[in-house]
Amino acid sequence: MKHLLITGFDPFGGETINPSWEAVSRLPEVIGNYRLTRLQIPTVFGLAAKTVLAAAAQDAPDVILCVGQAGGRDAVTPERISINMASARIPDNAGNQPVEAPILPGAPDGMFSTVPVYAMAGAITAAGLPGKISNTAGTFVCNDTLFRLLHHYAGTPVRVGFIHVPWLPEQAKEGAPSMELDDIVAALTAAIGVLG
Ligand code: PCA
């Protein structure tokens, strides 16, 4: 059996919940071929990736999948790419607010995710749920985390991916898109099912 390390973030930006952790913490211990380790990570630049790497050093996952909230999105979105840029509209949970700063100076401008994003988005829609590839993970902590992990595992067999999920109905302001928690859990389950 293969091993998946899957993470969700703590609430940030004044919110009291983060759908990424709400969903990740509800995933079963086994999906298809994979045994899951579920981990909450802090919404803090640098520290989030560091927390993932410390956990990965313990139990050597085959795949690392981070899940984050993307308020305003209307679908569960596997991220195709991360960019070497940190620029924050709001402070992270430690008060950091980088502006137009490279994440890792000298590293490539962008790094592609190493999980099958096309198949994952397809599996979500095949399950009757909204899913599509995203071509930007933003410039906040989620992008920072994906970039650092892809850079760390480049040239190794460990695959790294990221999935952004919409707000829950109770978070979404009037008229803003949201998704039920059960549907987010089902979408993540479908996406994990095609990791291979
Ligand atoms: N979403 C933020 C960081 C933590 C989270 O859940 C982001 O998209 O960068």
Side-chain angles (χ1 to χ4, degrees):
M1 180 157 270
K2 292 186 184 175
H3 181 206
L4 170 65
L5 174 59
I6 185 159
T7 69
F9 286 92
D10 64 357
F12 66 98
E15 308 227 36
T16 54
I17 49 170
N18 188 319
S20 68
W21 176 244
E22 297 302 318
V24 165
S25 62
R26 281 166 179 77
L27 289 171
E29 271 168 38
V30 173
I31 298 177
N33 239 351
Y34 283 85
R35 173 176 67 81
L36 275 61
T37 297
R38 296 150 298 184
L39 176 72
Q40 192 190 67
I41 60 174
T43 302
V44 176
F45 280 98
L47 184 60
K50 213 171 158 186
T51 306
V52 176
L53 290 174
Q58 291 294 310
D59 52 12
D62 299 286
V63 180
I64 298 173
L65 201 51
C66 300
V67 182
Q69 161 187 312
R73 284 200 189 166
D74 59 4
V76 171
T77 49
E79 296 291 349
R80 196 196 301 274
I81 192 167
S82 60
I83 60 173
N84 190 6
M85 166 61 62
S87 207
R89 198 174 33 79
I90 55 169
D92 70 13
N93 285 350
N96 305 301
Q97 194 168 4
V99 175
E100 300 289 296
I103 295 170
L104 298 172
D109 291 337
M111 296 197 77
F112 287 114
S113 158
T114 47
V115 296
V117 290
Y118 187 84
M120 290 162 83
I124 296 166
T125 52
L129 296 162
K132 56 190 173 203
I133 292 176
S134 161
N135 292 305
T136 174
T139 54
F140 194 48
V141 176
C142 291
N143 175 71
D144 179 88
T145 306
L146 179 58
F147 189 84
R148 288 175 189 275
L149 293 175
L150 284 170
H151 190 262
H152 181 89
Y153 286 106
T156 79
V158 178
R159 290 179 294 155
V160 178
F162 198 102
I163 301 180
H164 264 123
V165 302
W167 273 318
L168 296 170
E170 60 264 41
Q171 293 177 283
K173 284 148 213 77
E174 193 65 34
S178 66
M179 227 170 130
E180 295 291 343
L181 182 56
D182 285 353
D183 287 343
I184 297 177
V185 172
L188 293 178
T189 304
I192 292 164
V194 296
L195 283 178

